[in-house]
């Protein structure tokens, strides 16, 4: 049974932004560029290459302009970057991004902690960024943090989430990403929220973004796709997390998610063996174990030799058969 047969999904890599922002070791610019160039060959729809945030807030990505200006852009891949304010948007234009990925949180507490602005202040700044993007003909996606819950406020009312989606939709952005910043989402919630969002704004491109903090990332991905979501953020090796969200941990791992979706018959366009190779390169850069399972386990149909005493076991069992079958 392949329920996903033929359905095209669009995979966005966020390891180089959501992932690297959380690493304690500064990844040298040369290594970032080399990794992005390798990822560009693997079938992604989009790569979030960096962020244009304050270098004090996110020192790991202080080389955003250089990264953007040195990568080899592959036709068909959208190179996006996270933008929190007008200063970030100006830097992103200098970096010749294909898209602004604006960020704000639907939780007032998380927005203050992460962006040092109230949600109203963020929205006002982002409205100016959207006007700038229109003049520069740059498409805009908005990543909404804490859509499925906030680690400081707890439950986030769905009405409030839709209020922010509606306000950005009114400004004619191209897409909205529903972010589960600290892995608080669960499948029935994901199904309900994604289905309602798609029904309310059929023309908007919605993306789902899950962290695997409570091991629900894969099942939430299935729930989102079954609700009709076709664009998914994920992070090679399962690295990632927001440094200003207490308890945050890594995103769903690209190689694990792509393997699952391919088993289910979805068309991801991704080169899975290439991903496993890139994950090995990533591990040498971050210098710690990755949380993804697939590089350790291999594909579902990876075959192992039977145990060493297998020939004896089989001989004895077959001999028993022969004795019992003797007339
Ligand atoms: N890029 C580079 N520098 C920036 C900047 C940007 N996007 N935005 C502000 N700055 C600089 C200002 O120029 C100013 O510099 P100065 O001290 O040399 O004069 C300084 O940062 C303070 O500016 P201010 O506007 O007061 O910013 P802030 O300190 O209130 O920080 C943000 C606001 C949004 C810039 C900051 O909180 C941030 O970058 N947050 C991102 C967090 C993040 O990425 N989290 C993970 C992703 S969810
Ligand atoms: Zn994230």
């Amino acid at each position: 049974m392949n329920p996903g047969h033929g359905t095209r999904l669009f995979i966005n890599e966020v390891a180089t932004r959501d992932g690297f922002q959380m690493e304690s070791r500064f990844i040298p610019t040369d290594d970032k560029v080399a990794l992005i160039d390798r990822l560009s060959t693997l079938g992604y729809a989009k790569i979030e290459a960096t962020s244009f945030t304050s270098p004090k807030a996110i020192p790991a990505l202080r080389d955003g302009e250089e990264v953007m200006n040195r990568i080899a852009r592959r036709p068909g891949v959208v190179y996006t970057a996270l933008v929190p304010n007008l200063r970030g948007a100006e830097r992103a234009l200098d970096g010749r991004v294909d898209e602004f990925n604006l960020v704000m949180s639907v939780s007032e507490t998380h927005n203050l902690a992460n962006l040092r602005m109230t949600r109203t202040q963020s929205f006002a700044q982002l409205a100016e960024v959207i006007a700038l993007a229109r003049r520069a003909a740059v498409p805009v996606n908005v990543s909404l943090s804490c859509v499925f819950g906030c680690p400081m406020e707890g439950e986030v009312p769905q009405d409030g989430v839709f209020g922010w989606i509606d306000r950005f939709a009114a400004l004619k952005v191209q897409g909205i990403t529903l972010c589960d910043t600290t892995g608080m989402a669960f499948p029935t919630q994901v199904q309900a929220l994604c289905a309602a969002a798609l029904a309310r704004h059929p023309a908007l491109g919605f993306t789902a973004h899950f962290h695997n903090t409570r091991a629900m990332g894969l099942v939430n991905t299935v729930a989102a796709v079954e609700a009709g979501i076709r664009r998914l953020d994920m992070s090679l090796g399962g690295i990632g997390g927001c440094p200003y969200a207490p308890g945050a941990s890594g995103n769903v791992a690209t190689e694990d998610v792509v393997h699952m979706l391919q088993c289910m018959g979805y068309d991801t366009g991704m080169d899975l063996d290439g991903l496993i190779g890139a994950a090995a390169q990533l591990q040498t850069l971050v210098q710690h174990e990755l949380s993804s399972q697939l590089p350790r386990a291999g594909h579902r149909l990876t075959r192992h030799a039977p145990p060493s005493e297998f020939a004896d076991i089989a001989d004895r069992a077959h001999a028993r058969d022969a004795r019992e079958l003797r007339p």
Side-chain angles (χ1 to χ4, degrees):
M1 276 304 124
N2 282 338
H5 194 71
T7 304
R8 179 76 164 99
L9 299 176
F10 300 91
I11 307 300
N12 304 338
E13 181 57 54
V14 302
T16 44
R17 193 280 297 172
D18 207 329
F20 286 168
Q21 75 187 13
M22 195 65 167
E23 292 297 323
S24 47
R25 173 174 184 265
F26 180 79
I27 310 294
T29 309
D30 286 351
D31 291 335
K32 287 173 175 149
V33 170
L35 181 70
I36 293 168
D37 286 351
R38 180 172 186 163
L39 296 175
S40 290
T41 66
L42 300 181
Y44 289 103
K46 199 185 277 188
I47 297 176
E48 191 168 29
T50 187
S51 75
F52 290 102
T53 47
S54 145
K56 285 199 196 97
I58 307 286
L61 300 177
R62 60 181 182 261
D63 56 356
E65 286 91 340
E66 205 184 337
V67 168
M68 284 307 304
N69 282 311
R70 285 180 49 198
I71 53 174
R73 295 164 192 239
R74 195 180 173 93
V77 181
V78 172
Y79 297 90
T80 188
L82 197 77
V83 168
N85 60 7
L86 213 41
R87 171 89 188 90
E90 286 158 359
R91 291 178 59 208
L93 284 182
D94 288 344
R96 298 179 295 118
V97 298
D98 296 326
E99 177 197 85
F100 290 162
N101 184 23
L102 308 188
V103 59
M104 75 168 270
S105 185
V106 297
S107 148
E108 185 78 356
T109 311
H110 180 246
N111 206 67
L112 281 163
N114 193 37
L115 301 169
R116 297 165 176 259
M117 289 179 265
T118 63
R119 289 172 298 177
T120 305
Q121 288 162 348
S122 265
F123 184 78
Q125 236 342 265
L126 296 182
E128 287 186 52
V129 173
I130 291 165
L132 171 70
R134 186 158 307 124
R135 290 195 297 277
V138 176
V140 174
N141 184 76
V142 183
S143 280
L144 293 176
S145 310
C146 296
V147 155
F148 300 94
C150 167
M152 293 164 283
E153 291 187 8
E155 219 58 271
V156 167
Q158 197 168 325
D159 284 358
V161 174
F162 283 114
W164 292 109
I165 294 174
D166 293 351
R167 292 172 77 177
F168 282 108
L171 296 182
K172 304 266 185 287
V173 300
Q174 278 69 36
I176 302 261
T177 301
L178 304 170
C179 298
D180 180 25
T181 307
T182 60
M184 295 174 68
F186 56 92
T188 43
Q189 177 197 29
V190 169
Q191 158 75 38
L193 200 139
C194 291
L198 289 163
R200 194 168 169 119
H201 294 288
L204 263 182
F206 282 98
T207 299
H209 175 114
F210 296 113
H211 284 257
N212 201 32
T213 315
R214 294 178 176 81
M216 290 193 277
L218 282 173
V219 72
N220 286 333
T221 302
V222 172
V225 169
E226 289 183 349
I229 295 286
R230 296 290 173 257
R231 296 172 179 79
L232 298 162
D233 282 357
M234 53 194 80
S235 174
L236 194 66
I239 62 172
C242 174
Y244 300 99
S249 68
N251 295 67
V252 281
T254 309
E255 56 275 41
D256 291 346
V257 180
V258 165
H259 175 255
M260 174 188 75
L261 294 170
Q262 290 185 350
C263 287
M264 294 173 76
Y266 288 100
D267 173 13
T268 64
M270 296 295 300
D271 168 358
L272 186 57
D273 289 325
L275 279 177
I276 293 172
Q281 180 177 343
L282 177 67
Q283 182 157 347
T284 65
L285 298 186
V286 297
Q287 298 179 3
H288 61 73
E289 282 258 305
L290 301 177
S291 63
S292 51
Q293 310 264 0
L294 202 74
R296 281 190 284 277
H299 298 192
R300 174 176 165 262
L301 293 179
T302 299
R303 293 170 66 175
H304 300 269
S308 55
E309 68 280 21
F310 180 78
D312 283 350
I313 298 169
D315 282 351
R316 276 200 299 276
H318 292 146
R320 212 158 46 233
D321 258 3
R323 275 197 306 279
E324 279 161 17
L325 292 174
R326 213 176 289 142

